[in-house]
């Protein structure tokens, strides 16, 4: 984004808005990860500690979720770069 036509106060305000949006997106991603992995992996509520099976499931779930998110981000960046590339 090009904020060069904005004055410094407006630039600071836009930066603050963008940072807030990024934090909201991060918290949404984290919340989704926690909810998905908890619902998929945590089944035994007779103990307050995770069983080794549940713990391994949570680790695999989180790893898969983060790898998926990373790949989606990479693909989005590739498509964005292609769209911004030189036009024939």
């Amino acid at each position: 984004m090009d904020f060069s036509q904005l004055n410094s106060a407006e630039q600071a305000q836009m930066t603050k808005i963008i940072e807030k949006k990024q934090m909201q997106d991060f918290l949404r991603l984290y919340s989704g990860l926690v909810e998905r992995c908890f619902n998929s992996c945590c089944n035994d509520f007779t103990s307050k500690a995770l069983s080794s099976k549940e713990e391994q499931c949570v680790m695999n779930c989180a790893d898969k979720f983060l790898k998926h998110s990373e790949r989606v981000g990479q693909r989005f960046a590739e498509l964005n770069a292609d769209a911004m590339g030189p036009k024939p």
Side-chain angles (χ1 to χ4, degrees):
M1 296 184 156
D2 182 20
F3 298 142
S4 61
Q5 62 271 48
L6 303 176
N7 66 41
S8 61
E10 292 170 329
Q11 288 177 4
Q13 181 66 22
M14 288 301 294
T15 300
K16 187 176 180 180
I17 291 169
I18 291 169
E19 288 173 353
K20 182 178 179 183
K21 176 69 173 141
Q22 288 174 334
M23 180 57 79
Q24 289 172 336
D25 290 344
F26 168 76
L27 291 174
R28 190 176 302 113
L29 177 74
Y30 180 76
S31 178
L33 168 65
V34 170
E35 183 174 358
R36 177 175 298 172
C37 294
F38 179 83
N39 289 336
S40 295
C41 299
C42 299
N43 306 322
D44 181 11
F45 297 102
T46 59
S47 170
K48 63 181 179 180
L50 292 175
S51 69
S52 60
K53 181 179 176 184
E54 289 173 326
E55 189 172 346
Q56 188 60 48
C57 179
V58 168
M59 295 298 287
N60 290 340
C61 177
D63 187 49
K64 189 179 291 187
F65 186 87
L66 293 173
K67 284 181 180 177
H68 168 78
S69 295
E70 181 181 0
R71 179 61 185 127
V72 168
Q74 288 173 347
R75 188 68 180 126
F76 179 75
E78 291 166 6
L79 292 172
N80 193 35
D82 288 346
M84 300 301 284
K87 302 283 183 192

